[in-house]
């Protein structure tokens, strides 16, 4: 794929190859045998417009393209069929982790509540051959807790370290790729080092859960169901591969749309699916209620960090956050004041146009924010291209509104109140301040291809 107005010869060659191979790579069932093309694959074959492309200075490499193409339904069924044919001693243990922003999509598509739709989805995945299905909200809890702790540390170091603030969130792989490949070292030191929820879930599954089950990490095949295509590329990052274990933390990412496509192609009747509760990384069978984080369409980093920091740094209990829209509702700010003076100023910046606007503010030194929650999709993660994009390349606004409504119907749970989190900090990570915590929950973001411009950023 290439973005509009791209003139690179290698990009044109690659696009031609993509167009010739896309049908073969994604063929997994009788729909394709009959010559029919699903709506989802029509979308996948569309051109990527500049406003959607966050890595427009350099196309995806041939090697990256090859590895991304392996993260599809065909690869999943290769593993499933391998398990059916080989000796049980060589079986792969299939594990699925469900991103919380994907669950509203399934609820709307199946016309069920999120809890009931999740149980139906769990049943469907197990019918395909999955052994364990987890809710990745647990990993998002870790990512939020580590991010808010890091922000407080950076804030206290701001007078000694010029690169301490602003802190830019790190959960969105599209934004991270843009920062590393386009903006370079002028921005990467300010990115929060906490891993994204997806990659923390990868560490949790391939380390803690594997040990709990007495399994070698390489015997697990870990699939993440996500709302975003960019998550496929994130899973391939070098730092998320354990060379000693010969294992990637996340082996495959399938978008919510790809899973619904599988359900449609399998002619599954929702009524016939059992309501199967999700599994737990502890291996117990206790049913836990689904919950969400603060924030309407994102992981809730801004709201949780804002409330935590207000209390930790200034002793202020914030009950409700009031957003003030600037140029549009995808560029909003939140301010904590005392006697008319700002104590904290945070911003939520969603969508490529707003990210560009943010960068311009950074260049001009007109940047009052200590933290920015940056997401490449307008409207947040619910609007991921892997679940709401129409054939025209635009978001399905009606679907997005329904998803937002069902998502906010879930109760909010503070990560610090999770008994599972406290247990994992103790039993898996040897304490919240341990070296094990640093290794399992944090990473580093570095410039891959420094920007040709050497503009002087003034924070």
């Amino acid at each position: 794929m290439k973005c509009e107005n791209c003139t690179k010869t290698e990009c044109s060659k690659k696009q031609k190859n993509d167009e010739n191979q896309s049908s073969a790579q994604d063929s997994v069932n009788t729909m394709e045998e009959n010559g029919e093309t699903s709506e989802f694959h029509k979308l996948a074959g569309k051109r990527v417009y500049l406003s959607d492309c966050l890595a427009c200075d350099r196309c995806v490499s041939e090697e990256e393209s090859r590895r991304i193409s392996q993260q599809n339904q065909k690869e999943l069924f290769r593993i499933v069929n391998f398990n059916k044919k080989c000796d049980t001693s060589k079986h792969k243990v299939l594990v699925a982790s469900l991103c919380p922003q994907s669950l509203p999509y399934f609820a709307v598509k199946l016309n069920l509540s999120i809890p009931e739709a999740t149980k139906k989805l769990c049943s469907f995945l197990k019918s395909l051959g999955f052994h364990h299905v987890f809710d990745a909200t647990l990993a998002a809890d870790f990512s939020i807790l580590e991010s808010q702790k890091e922000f407080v540390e950076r804030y206290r170091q701001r007078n000694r370290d010029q690169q301490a603030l602003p802190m830019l969130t790190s959960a969105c792989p599209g934004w991270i790729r843009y920062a590393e490949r386009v903006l370079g070292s002028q921005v990467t030191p300010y990115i929060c080092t906490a891993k994204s929820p997806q990659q923390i879930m990868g560490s949790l599954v391939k380390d803690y859960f594997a040990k709990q089950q007495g399994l070698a990490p390489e015997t697990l095949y870990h699939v993440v169901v996500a709302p975003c295509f960019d998550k496929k590329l994130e899973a391939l990052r070098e730092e998320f591969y354990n060379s000693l274990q010969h294992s990637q933390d996340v082996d495959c990412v399938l978008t919510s749309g790809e899973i619904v496509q599988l359900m449609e192609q399998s002619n599954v009747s929702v009524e016939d699916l059992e309501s199967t509760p999700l599994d737990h990384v502890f291996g117990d069978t206790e049913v836990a209620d689904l919950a969400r984080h603060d924030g309407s369409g994102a992981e809730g980093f801004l709201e949780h960090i804002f409330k935590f920091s207000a209390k930790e740094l200034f002793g202020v209990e914030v009950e409700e956050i009031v957003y003030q829209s600037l140029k549009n509702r995808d560029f909003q700010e939140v301010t904590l004041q005392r006697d008319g003076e700002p104590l904290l100023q945070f911003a939520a910046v969603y969508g490529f146009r707003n990210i560009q606007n943010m960068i311009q503010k950074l260049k001009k030194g007109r940047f009052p924010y200590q933290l920015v929650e940056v997401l490449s999709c307008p409207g947040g993660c619910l609007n991921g291209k892997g679940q709401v994009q129409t054939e025209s390349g635009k978001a399905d606004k009606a679907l997005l509104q329904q998803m937002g409504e069902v998502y906010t119907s879930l109760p909010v749970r503070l990560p610090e109140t999770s008994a599972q989190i406290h247990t994992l900090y103790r039993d898996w990570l040897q304490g919240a301040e341990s070296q094990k915590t640093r290794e399992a929950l944090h990473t580093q973001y570095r410039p891959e291809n420094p920007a040709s411009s050497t503009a002087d950023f003034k924070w």
Side-chain angles (χ1 to χ4, degrees), residues 142-151 153-154 167 170 191-196 199-200 203 239-240 249 425 428-429 432-445:
F142 271 122
S143 191
I144 289 172
L145 289 173
E146 292 301 306
S147 296
Q148 63 189 28
K149 181 171 63 176
E150 181 173 333
F151 175 79
E153 292 173 355
R154 283 175 176 253
M167 189 175 89
S170 54
I191 297 176
C192 178
T193 66
K195 287 183 181 178
S196 72
Q199 296 309 135
I200 289 179
S203 297
E239 64 266 35
F240 302 143
D249 292 340
Y425 267 125
W428 174 37
L429 301 170
E433 306 299 328
S434 69
Q435 182 62 28
K436 175 75 170 178
T437 292
R438 171 61 56 177
E439 294 171 353
L441 307 184
H442 290 261
T443 187
Q444 289 292 325
Y445 299 101

Side-chain angles (χ1 to χ4, degrees), residues 54 57 163 168 175-191 359 362-363 445-455 457 459:
L54 294 183
D57 74 315
Q163 295 183 327
L168 310 174
W175 149 246
I176 292 298
R177 187 170 179 82
Y178 176 62
E180 289 181 324
R181 292 201 167 188
V182 181
L183 304 177
S185 59
Q186 297 163 325
V187 168
T188 51
Y190 302 90
I191 297 176
I359 297 303
L362 298 179
K363 289 180 180 180
Y445 299 101
R446 302 179 179 86
E448 297 180 22
N449 182 33
S452 57
S453 170
T454 58
F457 281 75
W459 304 105

Side-chain angles (χ1 to χ4, degrees), residues 92-93 206 210-211 213-221 245 247:
K92 289 282 188 178
V93 177
K206 288 296 183 80
K211 291 176 180 177
Q213 298 292 312
L215 299 169
E218 60 269 25
T219 64
L220 273 65
Y221 188 77
Q245 300 171 344
S247 177

Side-chain angles (χ1 to χ4, degrees), residues 175-407:
W175 149 246
I176 292 298
R177 187 170 179 82
Y178 176 62
E180 289 181 324
R181 292 201 167 188
V182 181
L183 304 177
S185 59
Q186 297 163 325
V187 168
T188 51
Y190 302 90
I191 297 176
C192 178
T193 66
K195 287 183 181 178
S196 72
Q198 169 176 296
Q199 296 309 135
I200 289 179
M201 197 67 197
S203 297
L204 186 60
V205 167
K206 288 296 183 80
D207 187 9
Y208 178 80
F209 179 71
K211 291 176 180 177
Q212 289 289 101
Q213 298 292 312
L215 299 169
E218 60 269 25
T219 64
L220 273 65
Y221 188 77
H222 184 204
V223 177
V224 168
V225 179
C228 174
F229 286 105
D230 289 339
K231 289 293 185 181
K232 294 176 183 279
L233 197 55
E234 179 184 33
L236 301 178
R237 292 177 67 95
E238 290 182 6
E239 64 266 35
F240 302 143
Y241 177 80
N242 190 316
S243 57
L244 295 177
Q245 300 171 344
H246 305 290
S247 177
Q248 204 80 22
D249 292 340
V250 176
D251 298 289
C252 180
V253 175
L254 296 179
T255 65
S256 319
E258 287 174 298
I259 296 297
V260 166
Q261 180 197 24
L262 283 178
M263 297 178 78
E264 292 172 348
Q265 293 175 347
S266 301
N267 294 319
V268 170
S269 170
V270 177
E271 292 76 15
D272 292 339
L273 287 172
E274 296 181 5
S275 293
T276 306
L278 295 174
D279 300 297
H280 297 273
V281 293
F282 297 102
D284 56 33
T285 57
E286 181 181 352
V287 178
D289 294 331
L290 292 172
R292 66 177 178 89
H293 298 116
D294 276 329
S296 58
E299 295 281 4
F301 283 82
L302 183 149
E303 298 205 14
H304 285 277
I305 297 173
F306 188 84
K307 292 179 179 179
F308 176 82
S309 301
K311 183 177 180 180
E312 187 75 11
L313 296 172
F314 304 104
V316 177
E317 293 275 1
V318 177
E319 296 294 333
E320 183 178 356
I321 288 181
V322 179
Y323 287 91
Q324 179 182 354
S325 296
L326 300 181
K327 288 192 174 183
N328 54 68
R329 61 183 180 181
D330 279 329
F331 199 136
Q332 301 184 93
E333 65 178 24
V334 178
T335 304
L336 177 69
Q337 292 186 336
R338 176 180 288 166
D339 299 328
E341 293 294 325
L343 301 177
L344 290 175
Q345 285 184 276
F346 288 10
V349 177
Y350 303 162
F352 187 48
R353 291 185 184 276
N354 287 321
I355 291 175
Q356 288 178 311
N357 188 18
M358 176 188 75
I359 297 303
Q360 290 303 314
K361 288 179 180 292
L362 298 179
K363 289 180 180 180
K364 296 176 181 178
R366 301 172 182 172
F367 202 75
Y369 309 113
Q370 294 100 4
L371 178 134
V372 185
E373 181 181 65
V374 190
L375 298 173
S376 63
C377 290
C381 298
L382 288 183
N383 193 28
K385 295 295 188 292
Q387 60 185 22
V388 298
Q389 187 168 310
T390 64
E391 188 172 350
S392 65
K394 303 294 184 180
D396 185 333
K397 293 183 178 180
L399 173 61
L400 188 58
Q401 181 178 351
Q402 288 179 284
M403 290 167 58
E405 291 171 356
V406 297
Y407 183 68

Side-chain angles (χ1 to χ4, degrees), residues 413-432:
R413 185 188 66 211
L414 295 176
E416 42 270 78
T417 65
S418 170
Q420 290 184 330
I421 289 293
H422 291 292
T423 299
L424 287 168
Y425 267 125
R426 183 192 68 218
D427 297 346
W428 174 37
L429 301 170
Q430 291 111 47

